[in-house]
Amino acid sequence: MGSSKYDFDARSARAKSAGFNTKSANEIFTQNAKRRAHESMIPKGVKYREACDSESHPNSFPIILGLDVTGSMGHIPHELIKEDLPKLMSGIIEGGVPDATLLFIGIGDHECDNYPLQIGQFESGDQELDMWLTRSYIESGGGGNAGESYLLAWYFAAFHTKTDAFDKRNQKGILFTIGDEPCLTSLPAIAIREIMGSGEKSYTHKDLLNEAKKRYDVYHINVLHSNQAIEANIEWKNLLGENCIAIENHKEIPNVITKIICNKFKNINHISEQNLGDLNNIEML
Amino acid sequence: MKKAQIVIGLGFGDEGKGITTDYLASQKKEAIVIRFSGGQQAAHTVMIENKKHIHSSFCSGALRGLPSYISEFCTFYPIYMLNEKEELEKLNGNTKMFIHPLAKVTTPFDIYYNRKNKKNIEDGTCGKGIGTTMKRNESPFKLFATDLIGPKSMLIEKLKSISNYYGLDNSEEIKEELEFFLYAIEKLEWNIKDYTFLLNYNHLIFEGSQGILLDMDHGIFPNVTYSNTTSKNAITICNLLKIKDIEIFYVTRIYSTRHGNGWMSNETNLTLKNNQEETCIYNDFQKGLRIGNLDYELLNYALIIDGAYNLYSKKNLVVTCLDQLDIPFDSKKIKINFDSIIGSYSPYSKDFKILL
């Protein structure tokens, strides 16, 4: 997956004809009426989602976007499809990351929701990205259990993704989760079995964060639109330090993401140039 | 020749399997009663003179003086078993209990997770850990009746891995329950016996749980029980023991009942009388008992399903609670030929009458 290019004109034309700007969320996210996740996004039995290099994207750069699809955050996917996704892609591409490949993950609550984890595919093309995003089921669940299953995104990234970036270039991808609640602190084996179809070990959120960090730089964008979100920020800061980005206005999400990706990419290139520079200084005997 | 009688609920449970089992037990004092589906969620009421007991882990023959046997298809929870044993002792019931080595043990962790999980509550759980126990036994974290008589240190290791499976390693909330669980295991006498033990008896009474419409294969998912509530398992045991003389007693109330969420037909308000002894009352997980007019189409449907599991059995129909409703039973609407139709007219099995 991920060999198509992002075509802004085609995207704009399709958005118009599909009515992304005018239609309601339930009209765009057609799984909502069916009250179930799309078959292709159910993670049960999925071994890997792969981000591979291709002719059009020789240096694929994997980015995972874990979107909270519970009650108070379910509007974010709608904003993304309305206008933010092309904004985000143009920011990334123009910011010097031409081969970004994006994986959408829908996150709910494994203690309460029927579909706590939905998984798209790594994609770079406008059409494919729109497809996976609009296929997501905005379950609007969650529950009064002081958290959502952001740790499921970490679990999936750590154990069920394969990226050429890491395997060929030893380059970490970037994983974002976006939400307004604390992270649930444990993922029991029973939940993993229900969601993935197999699994024999329980994990704490810290275990999974460490696993995900082996191949991704992990960020959380905490949208501070409620007192609970403000309180949650303390725990998020403890977990992620600087990689917890608190924002007051959700409109900032595409800018924040673009900035992090482009900075990270520049740094990676910068460092490798530097390394090369150092090597060049070594006098060959 | 050995004989088996099987009691099956035709609806969503609460049909009167307890009273029917007691009726059969009252005719055969040397029998043993066998549970072949479900587990500790049963609430089978038996009243004999001034004694009343709601059987849950023990079979509905205990009050009548018959021993109980839990087959491999069932779950049980030692704490409930101990509590019920003490209740039965006060009533001079038979507390002799035999258990198949592979019967599945519910742990405090199964119950805790069952009650915490909102999805289970929506599916109609009664919060006693049956579904979680059955599902866990499909994972590598199994616990069988035999594990209760093995080395204690091994049992502790198994319990540790089960607590990890549920992510409850350091949970303070269930510490007390766990201690009582281990105490109950110490306190109870464990007679672990495979099916050959049943050959000591000439008369076997198989007591079903719930009803055919809640069967995991035949009910409407997800509002089903994690068990085969048809005669399937009982027939399997009869076949293993080569018992050919099998008689089935299908039980329905004169009106339909359902406890917990899920579809039911004909749900309506009915004016009932003489129902002061109703066992199926409000609980936090399933809320109140739902009732409706008897759906003969559903009765016939359930009978066809069960017929497929027992080809050569004699069949009887038991209609309970006939004293509670003024609408009579219409046997013409039943499409199966029965050897007999029996009616019950009070909470006591002595008031059973042959109708046909």
Side-chain angles (χ1 to χ4, degrees):
Chain A
M1 297 285 163
S3 59
S4 322
K5 288 263 184 198
Y6 202 94
D7 182 333
F8 289 92
D9 293 339
R11 189 335 161 145
S12 152
R14 198 178 52 256
K16 227 172 245 164
S17 69
F20 286 161
N21 238 321
T22 50
K23 281 186 179 170
S24 71
N26 281 344
E27 285 172 296
I28 297 169
F29 295 89
T30 49
Q31 290 302 127
N32 291 6
K34 297 176 186 160
R35 299 181 62 83
R36 62 189 313 274
H38 195 278
E39 206 58 47
S40 61
M41 293 188 82
I42 294 174
K44 203 166 229 173
V46 167
K47 216 164 174 188
Y48 292 112
R49 290 292 201 237
E50 292 172 281
C52 301
D53 296 342
S54 63
E55 229 168 83
S56 47
H57 297 292
N59 293 300
S60 63
F61 185 68
I63 298 159
I64 299 177
L65 219 50
L67 303 169
D68 182 335
V69 292
T70 65
S72 56
M73 292 301 290
H75 62 99
I76 302 285
H78 191 201
E79 314 251 344
L80 272 174
I81 200 74
K82 263 203 286 196
E83 52 182 337
D84 288 350
L85 186 55
K87 228 194 267 176
L88 176 74
M89 289 307 287
S90 74
I92 296 172
I93 294 167
E94 285 160 19
V97 193
D99 297 338
T101 173
L102 223 70
L103 167 70
F104 288 116
I105 292 185
I107 296 167
D109 184 324
H110 71 266
E111 290 180 3
C112 308
D113 294 343
N114 290 318
Y115 302 97
L117 180 66
Q118 298 173 65
I119 305 288
Q121 298 266 10
F122 282 103
E123 304 285 5
S124 303
D126 50 291
Q127 205 174 344
E128 293 86 348
L129 282 169
D130 284 351
M131 182 190 81
W132 289 113
L133 183 57
T134 55
R135 256 186 202 179
S136 307
Y137 167 40
I138 318 299
E139 186 169 356
S140 297
N145 55 345
E148 308 296 5
S149 306
Y150 305 110
L151 75 183
L152 271 174
W154 302 341
Y155 177 85
F156 192 86
F159 300 121
H160 295 280
T161 63
K162 254 173 119 78
T163 71
D164 279 353
F166 189 79
D167 294 344
K168 291 185 183 170
R169 297 182 286 283
N170 203 24
Q171 183 186 57
K172 283 187 185 184
I174 303 186
L175 162 58
F176 294 96
T177 49
I178 302 167
D180 61 351
E181 288 215 24
C183 187
L184 289 174
T185 53
S186 87
L187 185 61
I190 181 173
I192 299 173
R193 288 180 76 82
E194 272 169 22
I195 295 163
M196 299 303 304
S198 61
E200 289 168 11
K201 195 172 168 235
S202 296
Y203 294 91
T204 66
H205 59 331
K206 287 177 185 162
D207 293 339
L208 293 176
L209 179 58
N210 287 335
E211 289 293 335
K213 274 176 163 177
K214 289 178 186 166
R215 288 189 292 134
Y216 293 89
D217 288 319
V218 179
Y219 290 85
H220 181 74
I221 301 175
N222 188 19
V223 186
L224 299 176
H225 57 189
S226 66
N227 281 338
Q228 204 190 4
I230 294 167
E231 276 169 37
N233 214 50
I234 302 165
E235 183 55 25
W236 276 114
K237 279 274 175 217
N238 281 340
L239 271 175
L240 292 175
E242 283 183 349
N243 285 16
C244 162
I245 319 286
I247 54 170
E248 282 176 10
N249 187 348
H250 63 84
K251 294 265 174 215
E252 283 298 307
I253 292 170
N255 296 337
V256 170
I257 292 176
T258 309
K259 222 173 172 179
I260 291 171
I261 294 171
C262 296
N263 277 343
K264 184 74 52 178
F265 205 72
K266 266 179 212 153
N267 284 340
I268 292 166
N269 287 345
H270 184 61
I271 289 163
S272 60
E273 268 165 36
Q274 234 178 18
N275 285 346
L276 209 65
D278 290 346
L279 281 173
N280 285 344
N281 289 339
I282 296 171
E283 280 185 39
M284 306 292 279
L285 295 174
Chain B
M1 201 168 82
K2 293 196 187 298
K3 184 180 174 84
Q5 293 177 312
I6 305 174
V7 177
I8 299 284
L10 281 174
F12 299 102
D14 308 301
E15 299 93 346
K17 292 176 295 293
I19 191 175
T20 304
T21 304
D22 178 56
Y23 168 70
L24 299 175
S26 70
Q27 297 169 337
K28 281 280 173 199
K29 297 280 179 183
E30 312 77 37
I32 185 165
V33 186
I34 301 153
R35 289 283 307 274
F36 60 91
S37 65
Q40 61 273 15
Q41 88 282 46
H44 295 177
T45 309
V46 170
M47 292 175 69
I48 301 171
E49 287 152 13
N50 58 354
K51 288 192 278 188
K52 174 178 179 175
H53 182 71
I54 299 167
H55 299 74
S56 170
S57 303
F58 287 83
C59 298
S60 305
L63 202 56
R64 191 63 75 176
L66 272 55
S68 300
Y69 184 89
I70 295 183
S71 74
E72 69 186 297
F73 304 104
C74 298
T75 65
F76 67 95
Y77 189 43
I79 291 181
Y80 295 164
M81 204 175 255
L82 180 62
N83 290 341
E84 191 179 349
K85 183 174 175 256
E86 285 167 3
E87 283 170 33
L88 271 170
E89 275 165 355
K90 282 185 209 144
L91 297 168
N92 285 325
N94 186 343
T95 57
K96 208 77 186 153
M97 164 71 84
F98 303 91
I99 306 180
H100 189 277
L102 303 181
K104 297 156 190 77
V105 185
T106 295
T107 68
F109 309 113
D110 301 302
I111 292 186
Y112 182 81
Y113 189 81
N114 183 192
R115 292 185 177 180
K116 212 179 94 170
N117 190 311
K118 202 179 118 197
K119 277 177 281 178
N120 276 330
I121 307 284
E122 280 169 9
D123 293 348
T125 185
C126 50
K128 290 183 177 166
I130 316 286
T132 39
T133 306
M134 296 296 280
K135 256 190 215 165
R136 173 174 54 70
N137 268 275
E138 289 174 0
S139 81
F141 306 99
K142 305 174 205 295
L143 196 69
F144 296 114
T146 35
D147 291 317
L148 304 182
I149 54 168
K152 192 175 174 197
S153 51
M154 190 168 88
L155 172 66
I156 298 289
E157 281 307 304
K158 290 199 169 193
L159 288 170
K160 274 189 203 161
S161 69
I162 291 171
S163 81
N164 178 268
Y165 166 75
Y166 286 117
L168 296 170
D169 293 329
N170 303 310
S171 179
E172 284 292 316
E173 289 161 86
I174 47 173
K175 223 173 159 186
E176 237 172 75
E177 186 80 356
L178 189 63
E179 276 166 24
F180 192 37
F181 176 77
L182 292 169
Y183 167 80
I185 292 171
E186 293 267 319
K187 192 96 200 271
L188 284 160
E189 182 194 338
W190 298 105
N191 303 302
I192 309 294
K193 304 276 185 192
D194 65 33
Y195 293 135
T196 55
F197 169 78
L198 296 174
L199 293 170
N200 297 324
Y201 294 84
N202 279 322
H203 196 97
L204 312 180
I205 299 172
F206 288 89
E207 178 181 11
S209 73
Q210 300 159 306
I212 290 171
L213 301 179
L214 286 176
D215 186 282
M216 64 191 286
D217 296 329
H218 302 292
I220 303 168
F221 188 83
N223 307 112
V224 296
T225 185
Y226 215 98
S227 184
N228 287 118
T229 55
T230 59
S231 55
K232 183 182 177 186
N233 300 338
I235 294 291
T236 302
I237 298 170
C238 288
N239 288 344
L240 285 169
L241 298 175
K242 300 191 169 59
I243 296 174
K244 296 258 180 333
D245 185 0
I246 300 170
E247 193 176 10
I248 305 202
F249 292 81
Y250 291 107
V251 189
T252 175
R253 288 197 199 195
I254 182 65
Y255 51 92
S256 344
T257 55
R258 178 152 197 167
H259 207 189
N261 283 338
W263 175 85
M264 79 179 277
S265 64
N266 292 2
E267 187 169 5
T268 182
N269 277 327
L270 292 175
T271 312
L272 301 175
K273 43 187 187 173
N274 305 333
N275 63 341
Q276 298 80 359
E277 296 295 342
E278 179 62 70
T279 299
C280 191
I281 50 171
Y282 182 91
N283 76 42
D284 279 347
F285 299 100
Q286 297 175 302
K287 314 297 177 194
L289 179 67
R290 301 156 62 192
I291 59 173
N293 284 309
L294 195 56
D295 185 338
Y296 289 85
E297 199 184 349
L298 265 186
L299 280 189
N300 285 311
Y301 168 81
L303 286 164
I304 289 171
I305 289 171
D306 202 64
Y309 291 107
N310 55 81
L311 305 182
Y312 305 107
S313 314
K314 276 170 83 179
K315 293 181 169 64
N316 307 284
L317 184 67
V318 180
V319 187
T320 62
C321 304
L322 283 163
D323 56 321
Q324 292 185 13
L325 195 65
D326 286 326
I327 306 166
F329 183 73
D330 189 353
S331 59
K332 284 191 212 75
K333 289 185 179 161
I334 299 287
K335 291 176 187 152
I336 308 280
N337 286 327
F338 282 106
D339 291 287
S340 74
I341 296 181
I342 303 164
S344 89
Y345 291 88
S346 80
Y348 299 93
S349 71
K350 66 179 169 53
D351 297 320
F352 270 52
K353 280 180 203 154
I354 305 285
L355 301 180
L356 204 82

